[in-house]
Amino acid sequence: MSEDAGGSPDADVDGLSIGRVAEATGLSVHALRFFEREGLFLREIPRTSGGRRVYARTDVDWLILCGRLRLSGMPIATIREFAALIRSGPGNERERLALLQEHERDVRAKLDELNACLEVIHGKVVTYEQHLNDGTAAGLWAPQPTR
Amino acid sequence: MSEDAGGSPDADVDGLSIGRVAEATGLSVHALRFFEREGLFLREIPRTSGGRRVYARTDVDWLILCGRLRLSGMPIATIREFAALIRSGPGNERERLALLQEHERDVRAKLDELNACLEVIHGKVVTYEQHLNDGTAAGLWAPQPTR
DNA sequence: GCTTGATCTAGCCCGCGCTCTAGGTCCTAG
DNA sequence: CTAGGACCTAGAGCGCGGGCTAGATCAAGC
């Protein structure tokens, strides 16, 4: 139930089970195995003699970053590219930077877009609130557009 | 090629073909037919005697709002609910307002989330920029996490 | 030893939001 | 009259991001 909390022969100091990593990152156990199949990790995740994954803190840190990248809309394929750059060692920092910069631009663009949508939506909300207070129906959608 | 631009017997004044509506809304022709199947419209779209859709300006206005709702992450199913409320006529404005308010909350939450992600990502960008200027490697991911 | 829960691999399945195809019809220009 | 583009319906397909299951193994506590 409590798994190995620091004493089993297989797990290194601070070796984490998949369940603990799931808790720590907010990702599901399924998602973690999926990410591994998809090549998103920075290294091969080692196994115990029994075949179970043993994660390190640095894996969790990376997964947390992956979570942010995903939340902000980066596709799995792009995260995979980024991971591949890191895995292939020093020397490609400019490429990594370019990838991150492009994503930053994308996120800013999406923020602008969302803000524009928010304005429209908030405008609608205000219109309905006024209608409900005043009893007017100005600016509301009719059931059948007036023709 | 130019379709009916205001003179054919079937099309009302300002009756728009699906292609024109696609242009006007940025949605694809396929998407417009899909939206119709999904019940997102506020009315039955009338047809010419030849069976072609004839849209009005009000349909375009509604579609533009739908576009904003979609862009801001509202699922098709929720837009369908909203459309159904409008279609069922006056009297349910509180429900419409509640739906819009909830979506507004969702959008604001997503904005906060995105901003938080952006901070993390921008931090990474800055770290890489510093590394490339200084030649240091502090804070960069190693190819293999140091164990 | 036995039970119990966490984990394993392999692989199929799903919801979403369109997109595209097939096979036709319409209709306007030349 | 003919060509060709826009449009029609019905329905299959797809990319994405996981979710879920089956059937087995592993490991900890009693």
Side-chain angles (χ1 to χ4, degrees):
Chain A
M1 195 174 294
S2 60
E3 277 298 300
D4 47 320
S8 97
D10 277 323
D12 274 335
V13 176
D14 99 347
L16 298 162
S17 71
I18 195 168
R20 286 188 183 285
V21 172
E23 275 180 57
T25 59
L27 297 162
S28 75
V29 168
H30 293 301
L32 289 174
R33 292 195 274 245
F34 171 69
F35 279 20
E36 188 171 325
R37 279 201 299 279
E38 293 295 308
L40 301 195
F41 281 92
L42 298 182
R43 58 166 194 160
E44 301 258 301
I45 302 300
R47 311 292 162 119
T48 66
S49 58
R52 302 186 171 200
R53 291 165 178 84
V54 182
Y55 297 89
R57 295 268 154 81
T58 50
D59 298 315
V60 173
D61 294 342
W62 168 247
L63 284 169
I64 287 171
L65 177 60
C66 287
R68 302 289 191 170
L69 294 175
R70 282 288 309 121
L71 260 183
S72 55
M74 183 181 286
I76 295 283
T78 307
I79 301 180
R80 175 163 45 227
E81 285 176 42
F82 187 44
L85 285 173
I86 296 171
R87 273 198 306 269
S88 75
N92 57 21
E93 285 79 1
R94 282 187 194 287
E95 293 174 67
R96 300 187 206 173
L97 175 57
L99 190 152
L100 289 174
Q101 280 172 329
E102 188 179 341
H103 185 57
E104 186 179 340
R105 276 193 298 279
D106 291 349
V107 173
R108 290 190 192 280
K110 184 174 293 193
L111 275 168
D112 290 348
E113 192 179 80
L114 259 189
N115 273 310
C117 291
L118 181 57
E119 250 180 77
V120 172
I121 294 158
H122 185 68
K124 279 281 165 189
V125 165
V126 168
T127 302
Y128 270 99
E129 281 169 346
Q130 283 176 356
H131 164 59
L132 285 168
N133 285 336
D134 307 0
T136 62
L140 298 188
W141 293 97
Q144 301 283 334
T146 43
R147 312 190 63 209
Chain B
M1 195 175 293
S2 61
E3 225 28 58
D4 48 319
S8 97
D10 278 323
D12 275 335
V13 177
D14 100 347
L16 297 163
S17 71
I18 196 170
R20 286 189 182 285
V21 173
E23 275 180 56
T25 60
L27 297 162
S28 76
V29 168
H30 292 302
L32 290 174
R33 291 195 275 246
F34 171 69
F35 279 20
E36 188 171 327
R37 278 200 299 279
E38 293 295 308
L40 300 195
F41 281 93
L42 298 183
R43 57 167 194 158
E44 301 258 300
I45 302 300
R47 312 292 160 118
T48 67
S49 58
R52 301 182 174 204
R53 291 167 178 83
V54 182
Y55 297 88
R57 294 268 154 82
T58 50
D59 299 315
V60 173
D61 294 343
W62 168 246
L63 284 168
I64 287 171
L65 177 61
C66 288
R68 302 289 191 171
L69 294 175
R70 282 289 308 120
L71 260 182
S72 55
M74 184 181 285
I76 295 284
T78 307
I79 301 181
R80 175 162 45 227
E81 285 177 42
F82 186 45
L85 285 174
I86 296 172
R87 272 198 307 269
S88 75
N92 57 22
E93 285 79 1
R94 283 190 192 286
E95 293 174 67
R96 301 188 205 172
L97 175 58
L99 190 152
L100 289 173
Q101 281 173 330
E102 187 178 342
H103 185 56
E104 186 180 340
R105 276 194 297 279
D106 291 349
V107 173
R108 290 191 193 280
K110 185 175 291 192
L111 275 168
D112 290 349
E113 192 179 80
L114 260 189
N115 273 311
C117 291
L118 181 57
E119 249 179 79
V120 172
I121 293 159
H122 186 67
K124 279 280 165 190
V125 165
V126 168
T127 303
Y128 270 98
E129 281 169 344
Q130 283 176 356
H131 165 59
L132 284 168
N133 284 335
D134 306 1
T136 61
L140 299 187
W141 293 97
Q144 302 281 335
T146 42
R147 313 189 62 210

